Amino acid sequence: MVLVWKDILLEVRSRELVISVLVFGLLVAVVFNFALDVTPQRVTAIAPGILWVAFAFAATMAMSRAFVREREQGGLEGLLLSPVSRDAIFLGKALTNLLFMLLVEMVLLPVFAVLFGFSAMSFTLIGTIVLATLGFSLVGTLFSAIAAQTRSREIMLPVLFFPVILPVIIGAVEASTRAIGGETTVGLGRWLPLLAVFDALFLVICPWVFSFVVEE
Amino acid sequence: MAETRQTELAHADSRESVTPLGPVRRSRDLRVYLVVLGGVMMLADLSFIFWVAPTDSILGDIQRVFYFHVPIAVMSFLAFFVVFVASIVYLVTRSPAWDRLAQASAEVGVVFVTLALITGVIWARPIWGVWWTWEPRLTTTLILWLIYVAYLMVRAYAANPNQGARYSAVVGIVGFVDVPIVYYSVIWWRSIHPSPVVGPLAQANALEGTMAAVLLFSFITFLILFVFLVAQRMALRETEDRLGGIKSAMRRRAESVF
């Protein structure tokens, strides 16, 4: 918990991460608006896709920083030497990433809703975002720990992250389409459990393999 | 000069050798058997495929791609399963042999999955009328390819071989666990966006007797090819490790002299 607090404190002091990720997310929305020509008729078909492309790109940006910062300052060595279990370090980092991403998404979501004209006030949509972002942060935290230690790390994180996270993106887009579309909820009973199963599975696996990543 | 290097090499060998020479020699004998057997079977397999197997009455000669495509695709899935198991055992036991197995299997698997995708595209164009369709099996295979290319990249870009071994083992485990989820998510996604293309299930079920026999033979042939390639790659990696050990020993020697 202290770990989470430390990273939050760092971020509150600098504010660079949240601001840059927010601006990046908005840029994605603007670019996609022109790339796909979003008209009111097609908005429910296209908007969830744009939303999740923006969130997923923003997540890789945010998470690529998580361990680079530790590495630059030599903070990870300090963490590893302290009497904290590796699981706790991993979960602390993943929780921080989760909170950052949720913060960014909660700012971006209303902006997207205004820009593309859909209703963001839906518990299903919020639930989808929380479940999917948890999946992002578990897998992303693990891979950013790997990527931070390798050469050409800016490219390694997305290359590792996107193929593995694909089911989450599919599930999130499908669930959000139903949440935004409002009319049909068919299939929601399938996509939300899919996201939950993904989260549960990686909640078990990621802390276990993380201990092998950070050992030196 | 040559003599000193000889003694240095011998010295390095005694101290740094990763494995004694015995197993390498024994595995070489095995690999010779495999390559002879595999070569003969491959020639037989090719002649079976092109001369013995009957031409498909509906699909024509293009159906013969099937005898390459299916065994190659199945072997690539087997390869990634081997990577998964070898990665877990490596992380638990830390025996370099398991890491060598994981790496060899991943490299051969990526080659096989690439071939499976290419033969699949060759099949799809005349039969389905499109080069590619986002059908669950195809999509999953593509994702598989991406995951294991990333696996090889992690290994290549790691700061040192030991780190590369651990990191790629982690990717090998996470990636393999992910594959069934990818598969089911794509199936469900497809069922909601129906596609005009009929899946390959329809053709796969109706196999005439000779065809099934040729397919089975093809399976065995490609299995032997796979085992041979993995064994060969493992032996190569073992030599690389030994060479690395000798090099670092010589470097240390040189440093201590000057």
Side-chain angles (χ1 to χ4, degrees):
Chain A
M1 256 4 244
V2 182
L3 292 177
V4 180
W5 183 242
K6 175 206 73 129
D7 279 345
I8 291 174
L9 207 64
L10 263 178
E11 182 52 32
V12 171
R13 296 234 173 99
S14 68
R15 275 187 295 273
E16 62 179 53
L17 189 62
V18 167
I19 302 282
S20 52
V21 171
L22 271 176
V23 172
F24 178 75
L26 272 178
L27 274 172
V28 172
V30 172
V31 170
F32 268 96
N33 179 50
F34 293 111
L36 295 175
D37 189 17
V38 184
T39 55
Q41 293 82 33
R42 300 197 295 159
V43 78
T44 46
I46 296 176
I50 299 176
L51 192 72
W52 284 102
V53 168
F55 284 179
F57 281 171
T60 56
M61 277 199 92
M63 285 168 200
S64 68
R65 298 298 304 163
F67 280 93
V68 171
R69 189 148 55 191
E70 298 286 4
R71 192 181 127 103
E72 282 165 357
Q73 314 280 338
L76 193 59
E77 282 76 17
L79 275 181
L80 295 175
L81 286 172
S82 66
V84 187
S85 78
R86 303 287 144 92
D87 289 3
I89 295 176
F90 176 80
L91 292 174
K93 275 285 171 195
L95 186 59
T96 317
N97 281 333
L98 175 67
L99 293 177
F100 276 148
M101 277 314 297
L102 284 178
L103 174 67
V104 168
E105 287 165 353
M106 287 308 141
V107 178
L108 279 179
L109 184 64
V111 178
F112 273 58
V114 169
L115 285 179
F116 295 115
F118 61 83
S119 161
M121 282 318 291
S122 143
F123 285 114
T124 325
L125 189 58
I126 310 268
T128 306
I129 287 175
V130 171
L131 281 176
T133 309
L134 177 59
F136 281 179
S137 64
L138 288 172
V139 175
T141 305
L142 176 69
F143 285 159
S144 79
I146 289 181
Q149 301 290 331
T150 51
R151 277 177 280 140
S152 66
R153 56 171 172 266
E154 293 80 9
I155 196 70
M156 272 325 292
L157 179 60
V159 163
L160 286 168
F161 181 72
F162 281 114
V164 173
I165 211 70
L166 191 84
V168 175
I169 294 182
I170 294 177
V173 169
E174 293 296 334
S176 325
T177 308
R178 279 156 192 76
I180 290 173
E183 297 130 22
T184 169
T185 51
V186 180
L188 258 184
R190 174 182 276 175
W191 294 112
L192 291 182
L194 176 85
L195 293 176
V197 165
F198 186 96
D199 291 350
L201 195 61
F202 283 95
L203 199 54
V204 174
I205 293 174
C206 288
W208 177 60
V209 289
F210 180 75
S211 63
F212 296 111
V213 171
V214 292
E215 76 177 37
E216 285 302 338
Chain B
M1 178 63 204
E3 223 169 87
T4 45
R5 188 177 292 167
Q6 278 290 310
T7 51
E8 259 180 351
L9 272 175
H11 187 76
D13 205 27
S14 63
R15 230 183 14 184
E16 288 291 321
S17 76
V18 179
T19 48
L21 268 175
V24 176
R25 293 235 171 86
R26 242 175 290 134
S27 94
R28 192 171 59 200
D29 293 344
L30 176 73
R31 281 177 286 133
V32 170
Y33 292 135
L34 277 173
V35 77
V36 171
L37 180 66
V40 172
M41 284 188 72
M42 189 58 81
L43 287 174
D45 190 36
L46 285 173
S47 56
F48 287 162
I49 289 171
F50 287 103
W51 291 318
V52 176
T55 308
D56 191 282
S57 56
I58 303 160
L59 304 173
D61 274 332
I62 189 68
Q63 187 262 347
R64 293 180 203 276
V65 172
F66 182 77
Y67 301 115
F68 297 100
H69 177 71
V70 177
I72 290 175
V74 171
M75 288 312 137
S76 64
F77 296 147
L78 174 70
F80 298 139
F81 179 66
V82 171
V83 175
F84 173 65
V85 173
S87 297
I88 293 179
V89 178
Y90 171 70
L91 284 181
V92 174
T93 66
R94 295 311 163 91
S95 144
W98 287 100
D99 178 51
R100 285 198 276 271
L101 176 60
Q103 181 185 9
S105 195
E107 287 182 0
V108 177
V110 166
V111 172
F112 273 35
V113 87
T114 310
L115 288 173
L117 285 170
I118 292 171
T119 50
V121 164
I122 294 172
W123 161 280
R125 179 62 191 173
I127 307 283
W128 296 340
V130 286
W131 291 110
W132 182 263
T133 162
W134 294 97
E135 187 262 343
R137 252 186 276 186
L138 269 67
T139 312
T140 309
T141 310
L142 182 63
I143 301 301
L144 211 59
W145 188 85
L146 288 168
I147 289 175
Y148 286 93
V149 167
Y151 173 97
L152 295 180
M153 283 174 75
V154 165
R155 198 180 267 282
Y157 291 160
N160 57 61
N162 171 37
Q163 200 183 54
R166 277 185 291 121
Y167 287 4
S168 54
V170 166
V171 177
I173 294 169
V174 171
F176 191 80
V177 169
D178 195 47
V179 170
I181 310 179
V182 172
Y183 185 63
Y184 281 105
S185 63
V186 180
I187 285 182
W188 289 343
W189 174 71
R190 253 305 145 211
S191 69
I192 293 160
H193 302 258
S195 142
V197 180
V198 182
L201 282 168
Q203 291 103 10
N205 287 335
L207 269 186
E208 187 252 333
T210 323
M211 288 178 164
V214 172
L215 182 65
L216 182 65
F217 190 78
S218 208
F219 262 114
I220 299 167
T221 307
F222 278 97
L223 180 63
I224 290 171
L225 177 67
F226 169 70
V227 173
F228 165 70
L229 287 174
V230 169
Q232 185 72 14
R233 182 65 185 100
M234 280 178 77
L236 184 61
R237 176 57 209 284
E238 211 165 325
T239 315
E240 283 171 9
D241 290 350
R242 285 169 50 78
L243 192 60
I246 293 170
K247 266 186 183 161
S248 63
M250 284 180 75
R251 206 176 304 124
R252 268 206 299 280
R253 258 309 257 228
E255 274 163 11
S256 68
V257 166
F258 295 113

